[in-house]
Amino acid sequence: MLDEFLILGLDFTVFLFMRESLIFIGISDDLALYYAIILTLILNAASFHEVRISEKFTKYVLELPNVINVNNEVYYFNIKIKSKGYLTITLNIAGFIVPLVLALVLSLRYFTLLKSLRLDYLMIFILLTLLATLIFNRLGMIFRHYVGISLVKSYIIGVLIGLIYGFELDVYASLSLTYVTLFIAIVLGVDILNMGKVVLEGRPRSVSIGGMGIADAIFVIPLLSSLTSYYVISFISNYLFTQLMIP
């Protein structure tokens, strides 16, 4: 029962984010509502599909610890084992390809709305993205066949980054640039920089980026963080505007 509520909650959050994003890129409120529903359904179906981008023959050299006892004397040494096999790298459509497209569209839309390139805005974006990449790389937890990350810690960090965008730049940056920054940071800091360790330690036959679909950190964390920070900044802006209008 709990899992069903979590899935429904995630779907509703995806719907809200898609609606706000569609409105941000210039689609009317009415059309954004219908398109958001359709996109949410499509994303659920796309979570089960992947695109293979690479398949290569890989050799591994493993060092395994070994202990022997000879006449009550213990000897420790490492044994080198050579292994080989095919490694397939795939991209999940909902877990990576769709977030990539969203990040490109949102970033292009935001910087297009500025009408002229603001170097100070660009520097803030670059610095926050680098900082987030380093933080998420430290938060990454390497398991046998995949890399994990704490959802709660990542969400809090993501919201803080979104609030910085909102206060330093504007409310639309808290939606668009927050999503772009967190997408880049998680893909680079968590997946790509740790992929070599996963391959060496777990020796999986396939590696999937965004493999959990809409439940993957690449999809969930940027979406939740950007949506939360956007609503918080919007509420604060509207509240301050209302207070200023009161005589």
Side-chain angles (χ1 to χ4, degrees), residues 50-117:
E50 296 186 341
V51 177
R52 186 173 64 183
I53 62 170
S54 175
E55 185 177 43
K56 60 181 180 179
F57 189 75
T58 307
K59 295 182 179 180
Y60 309 97
V61 178
L62 307 175
E63 288 192 5
L64 301 178
N66 195 20
V67 180
I68 61 173
N69 190 323
V70 179
N71 297 327
N72 294 325
E73 292 187 9
V74 179
Y75 297 91
Y76 300 90
F77 59 95
N78 292 331
I79 299 177
K80 288 187 177 182
I81 299 178
K82 294 183 179 181
S83 179
K84 54 187 177 181
Y86 284 97
L87 175 65
T88 303
I89 300 176
T90 60
L91 304 176
N92 188 278
I93 294 178
F96 177 80
I97 295 178
V98 171
L100 173 62
V101 174
L102 279 172
L104 291 173
V105 172
L106 291 174
S107 59
L108 289 174
R109 176 61 175 173
Y110 180 79
F111 286 109
T112 301
L113 289 175
L114 293 179
K115 296 181 180 179
S116 62
L117 183 61

Side-chain angles (χ1 to χ4, degrees), residues 110-147:
Y110 180 79
F111 286 109
T112 301
L113 289 175
L114 293 179
K115 296 181 180 179
S116 62
L117 183 61
R118 295 282 301 272
L119 292 180
D120 53 341
Y121 280 33
L122 187 60
M123 285 301 299
I124 291 174
F125 170 72
I126 293 173
L127 290 175
L128 285 178
T129 302
L130 289 175
L131 177 62
T133 302
L134 293 174
I135 293 174
F136 284 127
N137 181 252
R138 297 294 297 272
L139 290 177
M141 299 174 289
I142 300 175
F143 298 94
R144 183 172 177 81
H145 293 298
Y146 66 95
V147 182

Side-chain angles (χ1 to χ4, degrees), residues 150-170:
S150 171
L151 178 61
V152 176
K153 292 180 181 178
S154 303
Y155 171 69
I156 294 173
I157 293 170
V159 172
L160 291 176
I161 290 174
L163 294 178
I164 293 174
Y165 274 128
F167 288 120
E168 291 294 327
L169 304 184
D170 53 61

Side-chain angles (χ1 to χ4, degrees), residues 10 14 47 50 90-97 99 146-149 151 179 183 186-187 190-191 208-224:
L10 179 58
V14 172
S47 295
E50 296 186 341
T90 60
L91 304 176
N92 188 278
I93 294 178
F96 177 80
I97 295 178
Y146 66 95
V147 182
I149 191 170
L151 178 61
Y179 186 91
F183 169 77
I186 294 174
V187 171
V190 180
D191 282 17
S208 176
I209 299 179
M212 294 183 67
I214 63 172
D216 198 276
I218 295 175
F219 188 91
V220 172
I221 294 173
L223 184 144
L224 288 176

